[in-house]
Amino acid sequence: MIAHIAGIIAAIAFLLLVCFIGIFLVRMTKTMGEVNRSLSSITNDVDALSHETEKIMANANELLKDVNGKVASIDPAFQAMGDLGQSVSDLNAATRELTAKVGKNNEKKNRFASATKVGKAAFDVYRDRRNKKTNEDEED
């Protein structure tokens, strides 16, 4: 009798195991079906994105060629601006040099003018003394 009860318990346990495995396999089948549908959808989306990406890359290449052409056409203008800047810099340097020379000439002129004033003052003093001496000689 115990053997019969043990056999029944074992049969019930095996039946439960088979039921749980069956439920697990049904759920696994549904999950795998969902995975297959998701993969199919992802594959379609990736294909669409791939085509769009190819179009974008083609447009980007055209745009890059266009920009390179335009940059090449304005490059001489930038070169001219650089040359103009160099010319202005050279002009500024020449102006500073000329200003320094004029300043030195003014110093020389100022020294000469001072010497001239001193000479004129000395001559005036000499003339005044001579005139005074001449006037004194005439009075005597």
Side-chain angles (χ1 to χ4, degrees), residues 17-129:
L17 180 66
V18 168
C19 287
F20 284 123
I21 288 176
I23 292 171
F24 174 75
L25 289 175
V26 168
R27 287 186 181 172
M28 182 63 83
T29 303
K30 287 181 183 178
T31 302
M32 292 306 278
E34 287 295 321
V35 167
N36 284 337
R37 281 192 293 274
S38 295
L39 283 175
S40 175
S41 174
I42 288 172
T43 302
N44 291 336
D45 290 345
V46 167
D47 286 341
L49 285 174
S50 173
H51 293 300
E52 291 299 320
T53 303
E54 287 175 11
K55 289 178 186 176
I56 289 171
M57 291 300 290
N59 288 339
N61 286 337
E62 283 182 39
L63 183 61
L64 184 61
K65 287 178 186 175
D66 185 42
V67 167
N68 284 337
K70 289 179 179 173
V71 165
S73 68
I74 62 170
D75 198 31
F78 285 115
Q79 182 64 37
M81 283 187 252
D83 293 344
L84 178 64
Q86 183 62 41
S87 297
V88 168
S89 179
D90 293 343
L91 180 63
N92 283 340
T95 303
R96 285 187 194 109
E97 193 175 303
L98 179 63
T99 303
K101 285 180 182 179
V102 168
K104 287 179 184 177
N105 285 340
N106 281 341
E107 282 181 26
K108 289 178 183 178
K109 287 178 184 177
N110 287 340
R111 280 190 233 142
F112 180 73
S114 296
T116 304
K117 287 179 184 178
V118 168
K120 185 179 183 293
F123 182 72
D124 287 344
V125 168
Y126 169 74
R127 189 179 52 195
D128 286 344
R129 284 190 183 176

Side-chain angles (χ1 to χ4, degrees), residues 5-20:
I5 295 177
I8 291 175
I9 292 175
I12 292 174
F14 185 73
L15 181 64
L16 287 175
L17 180 66
V18 168
C19 287
F20 284 123

